[in-house]
Amino acid sequence: ALAKVMDFTALRAKNYFTTNKGYDVLISEAALAAGLEDICSAAMRVEALAAFSRLPHYEQAVHTFKRLANIIAKIEGADLDHLSGKYSADILTETAEKSLAAKLEEIAPRFDALWREDRFAELFGLLDEVRPAVDAFFDQVMVMDKDDAVRRNRLNLLQALAGRLGLLADFKALQI
């Protein structure tokens, strides 16, 4: 019954944000997919994602973060052990993966503080800071390394970021 109520609520919220507030359907769906437990926070996420979508670098950001989300979804859908998002810095060897880990360590406390205060516009702003490191990672690192420990560590590094991004929006739902 709870699932049916949540589905109904999600449909009503999507309708409200698209019909009454004029937000794009995909923007509404992506932001609402991050959670509806707190409808006020969900509304602020929709507004922040809509504002983010009007920025000139939006398409590149969506491409990057959608790629990240798709990799994690594909891996978790393959019945592999659940990714925890905990990675070991000792196993990181490539410059780009070390840079991504350093950037995550740098922004994580700010992300968490902004999250606690529902400061979604600033949270989306953090994406601009981390995107170059993610792009470099994808350009320079083979995620699916032959070594199981290296591969799992890289996937957990990506999961560490994907877990936070999933609080803001479902980037897989966005089209560019």
Side-chain angles (χ1 to χ4, degrees):
L2 180 59
K4 288 182 180 181
V5 169
M6 291 306 292
D7 287 344
F8 174 79
T9 303
L11 287 172
R12 298 306 305 148
K14 181 177 85 169
N15 184 56
Y16 172 77
F17 289 117
T18 57
T19 304
N20 296 24
K21 292 292 192 175
Y23 291 115
D24 179 80
V25 171
L26 294 177
I27 296 289
S28 297
E29 287 177 350
L32 294 173
L36 274 170
E37 292 77 19
D38 181 340
I39 196 69
C40 292
S41 290
M44 288 187 283
R45 278 196 323 274
V46 172
E47 182 179 329
L49 180 56
F52 185 69
S53 75
R54 292 187 290 273
L55 298 176
H57 57 273
Y58 170 73
E59 287 187 10
Q60 180 58 42
V62 168
H63 175 71
T64 297
F65 298 125
K66 186 174 187 167
R67 182 177 181 190
L68 170 69
N70 284 333
I71 288 171
I72 296 301
K74 182 178 178 183
I75 294 302
E76 289 190 338
D79 289 334
L80 295 178
D81 294 338
H82 180 70
L83 297 174
S84 66
K86 295 186 186 331
Y87 57 91
S88 172
D90 297 339
I91 300 176
L92 303 175
T93 58
E94 303 290 331
T95 302
E97 66 184 334
K98 289 178 182 179
S99 295
L100 177 56
K103 184 52 80 174
L104 284 175
E105 296 297 323
E106 176 191 327
I107 69 162
R110 288 188 292 151
F111 186 100
D112 296 342
L114 293 169
W115 176 256
R116 284 189 299 274
E117 297 174 10
D118 289 339
R119 293 166 57 188
F120 297 106
E122 292 169 80
L123 284 164
F124 279 102
L126 287 178
L127 300 184
D128 290 334
E129 292 183 40
V130 74
R131 187 178 55 80
V134 177
D135 287 338
F137 179 89
F138 285 141
D139 289 344
Q140 300 169 22
V141 176
M142 175 63 72
V143 176
M144 303 308 282
D145 194 87
K146 293 177 187 175
D147 183 305
D148 185 55
V150 171
R151 179 177 58 250
R152 182 159 297 284
N153 200 53
R154 288 176 178 167
L155 288 168
N156 274 308
L157 175 62
L158 293 176
Q159 176 58 36
L161 178 57
R164 283 190 165 82
L165 292 177
L167 296 172
L168 298 176
D170 177 4
F171 283 87
K172 295 184 311 296
L174 296 171
Q175 300 292 322
I176 50 173

